[in-house]
Amino acid sequence: MTVGEHRTNLNNTDDYLLNIEKLAERITGCDYKYHIITYGCQMNVYDSEKLAGMLENMGYFQTEDKNEADIILFNTCCVRDHAEQRVYGNIGMLKKQKIKNPNLLIGVCGCMMQQKGVAEGIVKKFPFVDLVFGTHNLHEFPKLLLEALDTAHAIVEVSEHGDQKENITPIKRSSRISSWVTIMYGCDNFCSYCIVPYVRGREQSRNQAEILLEIENLAKEGFREVFLLGQNVNSYKGQDDYLFHDLLEDINKVEGIERIRFISSHPKDLSPKLIEAFESCDKLCEHIHLPIQSGSDLVLEKMNRKYTREDYLKLIHRIRNLSKPIAVTTDIIAGFPGETERDFEDTLSLLEEVRFDAAFTFMYSPRKGTPAAELADQTEHYVKKKRLDLLNKTQAEISKNINQKYKDMVLEVMVEGVSKNNADMFSGRTRTNKLVNFKAENLLPGYMADVRITTAKAWTLEGVLV
Ligand code: 5AD
Ligand code: SF4
């Protein structure tokens, strides 16, 4: 077993391509299949697209059925305990499949592996796992896979620091219309509850020329929407004082791209220039995800969020003063250590005051190694659950109410495909990121449909093509 720490220059483009070639020689023509199970945020979804891209370059085919797979990868998340427990449960369930098919290769990667002792713990607990690697080792996957195919014991490679080789990693985009583009990696904010800075490392922005080239190429391939990704896109710093709003303005000029979205934004870094970009960039969609986490100043301070409720409300005010309505969504944590009833009421009142289009709500989950996990006054589970339920109930009312205003309006919907829940319907998103299901025939993904809204629910809209 090898555990690589502080390793740099492990690979270069030549090594990478050589390893892909070696694998292609072994795999092409064998009809081997791969299955990837992804947990967590968009960043992980994107990493899985890269893993899929590499596997297909080697000659593997994708399968939705893990029972017929020759290689199964778990791309893990450690932001909350719930996701971690699901990973352990699901790896455990593969033991029988591995006994039936000893040639099955099982790999585990992603954020969980970056936590101290987890990678070693996985191979100890599940000796049938063949390969374990961290988020910083993604581009080493071909080399590690080669080793795993030829070795009886588990291959483990988890580096503490990353050398992002995105430009040489092929990507199997899950959509032909909308594409994720990472503009920065890591996070420097150290919110006291959050594990991300420990597992994804310090902020690293990609060079603007490289990003723009990637987007120009996506446009040439027919992609119409780009989704810019980063833990905190507002603190993007390209070369020569080039900031996030500069990048938006340049992407806005790329021919063929019709919609630009981004996620996620930290309120402390949301500059007036960025807010103005909603006016100056016509392709920038009218939606911002702006996590508040709590409506109580005391809790915000303990969370190390570096803004107050008042600061946040001022930003909302600025956004609502723009010439067009912008949908605002947020994240909220219920039951942070020491959160009193009064603090919680402040969060509830904030929901009413801001009236978000949607809120993603989470029960606080202590993460080992973060300052908040060490706080003595942890909130009891039943209190967290009760508060979470109340948040969800309050927000559902607000969202439903906000959506009513869309009734009878005609909205531009970018078609994603046939609706997941109803084969007679198509679904797509408005510029404000609302999911719309509507009746139509033979529409291709990417088509911009004009849809008259007939029914408005809390989380979806329904309508008819006009
Ligand atoms: N417990 C609960 N929620 C968390 N989040 C991050 N860390 C934790 C944690 N330890 C939530 C935050 C963040 C979102 C992606 O996940 O709300 O914005
Ligand atoms: Fe975590 Fe805070 Fe960074 Fe978001 S900004 S990834 S919550 S540390």
Side-chain angles (χ1 to χ4, degrees), residues 187 189-191 193-194 196-197 231 266 305:
C187 181
N189 287 318
F190 290 94
C191 301
Y193 51 82
C194 186
V196 169
Q231 303 297 345
H266 194 303
R305 290 292 288 177

Side-chain angles (χ1 to χ4, degrees), residues 64-288:
E64 293 301 319
D65 178 5
K66 71 175 184 322
N67 293 309
E68 63 166 30
D70 301 282
I71 172 164
I72 299 179
L73 295 179
F74 290 90
N75 189 3
T76 64
C77 164
C78 57
V79 167
R80 284 171 293 276
D81 184 57
H82 181 64
E84 285 196 355
Q85 294 316 318
R86 276 172 51 218
V87 168
Y88 285 120
N90 289 338
I91 300 175
M93 286 203 300
L94 285 186
K95 190 175 173 182
K96 277 193 199 143
Q97 192 174 335
K98 180 83 178 187
I99 292 171
K100 260 204 258 166
N101 174 14
N103 289 331
L104 169 67
L105 194 137
I106 300 173
V108 190
C109 61
C111 295
M112 257 173 91
M113 303 309 112
Q114 295 295 142
Q115 290 173 288
K116 247 198 172 70
V118 170
E120 293 82 350
I122 293 261
V123 284
K124 217 168 170 185
K125 195 165 175 191
F126 306 108
F128 53 87
V129 165
D130 305 281
L131 172 60
V132 175
F133 56 103
T135 50
H136 300 309
N137 307 91
L138 201 80
H139 52 277
E140 286 179 79
F141 174 59
K143 168 184 146 262
L144 300 171
L145 180 58
L146 261 176
E147 282 175 30
L149 286 170
D150 290 333
T151 321
H153 62 71
I155 300 294
V156 179
E157 190 75 55
V158 181
S159 306
E160 233 176 66
H161 302 288
D163 172 15
Q164 310 286 355
K165 285 271 191 293
E166 179 163 33
N167 44 351
I168 60 163
T169 314
I171 303 171
K172 180 184 178 353
R173 315 249 180 205
S174 51
S175 154
R176 301 303 309 156
I177 296 304
S178 177
S179 173
W180 312 111
V181 175
T182 302
I183 62 163
M184 58 167 320
Y185 302 89
C187 181
D188 288 350
N189 287 318
F190 290 94
C191 301
S192 65
Y193 51 82
C194 186
I195 195 77
V196 169
Y198 306 91
V199 296
R200 286 274 178 180
R202 296 291 67 72
E203 275 181 21
Q204 266 179 280
S205 293
R206 283 180 68 198
N207 178 291
Q208 62 264 34
E210 203 181 290
I211 298 173
L212 286 166
L213 184 65
E214 183 177 340
I215 294 176
E216 278 158 16
N217 285 335
L218 287 168
K220 282 183 200 144
E221 284 175 46
F223 286 91
R224 306 184 87 177
E225 179 177 85
V226 283
F227 219 124
L228 308 176
L229 279 186
Q231 303 297 345
N232 178 16
V233 288
N234 308 128
S235 59
Y236 172 83
K237 276 184 206 74
Q239 258 155 11
D240 305 324
D241 298 325
Y242 187 93
L243 298 177
F244 186 51
H245 61 266
D246 298 315
L247 185 63
L248 288 174
E249 276 173 22
D250 281 340
I251 299 172
N252 199 56
K253 294 179 203 142
V254 176
E255 211 177 306
I257 296 299
E258 293 182 34
R259 287 183 171 192
I260 307 168
R261 300 186 185 279
F262 61 87
I263 196 166
S264 192
S265 299
H266 194 303
K268 79 171 168 41
D269 299 313
L270 185 63
S271 67
K273 281 211 160 134
L274 178 51
I275 297 177
E276 280 160 29
F278 282 105
E279 302 277 15
S280 57
C281 301
D282 60 322
K283 296 176 182 175
L284 185 59
C285 288
E286 291 80 22
H287 168 230
I288 185 161

Side-chain angles (χ1 to χ4, degrees), residues 409-442:
M409 272 168 78
V410 174
L411 303 178
E412 180 196 85
V413 176
M414 193 175 89
V415 175
E416 287 175 1
V418 174
S419 160
K420 283 194 182 105
N421 302 325
N422 186 344
D424 294 340
M425 308 262 248
F426 280 81
S427 71
R429 289 193 181 262
T430 63
R431 287 177 58 101
T432 50
N433 210 31
K434 310 264 176 197
L435 187 67
V436 183
N437 292 316
F438 61 100
K439 278 224 153 72
E441 276 171 29
N442 295 335

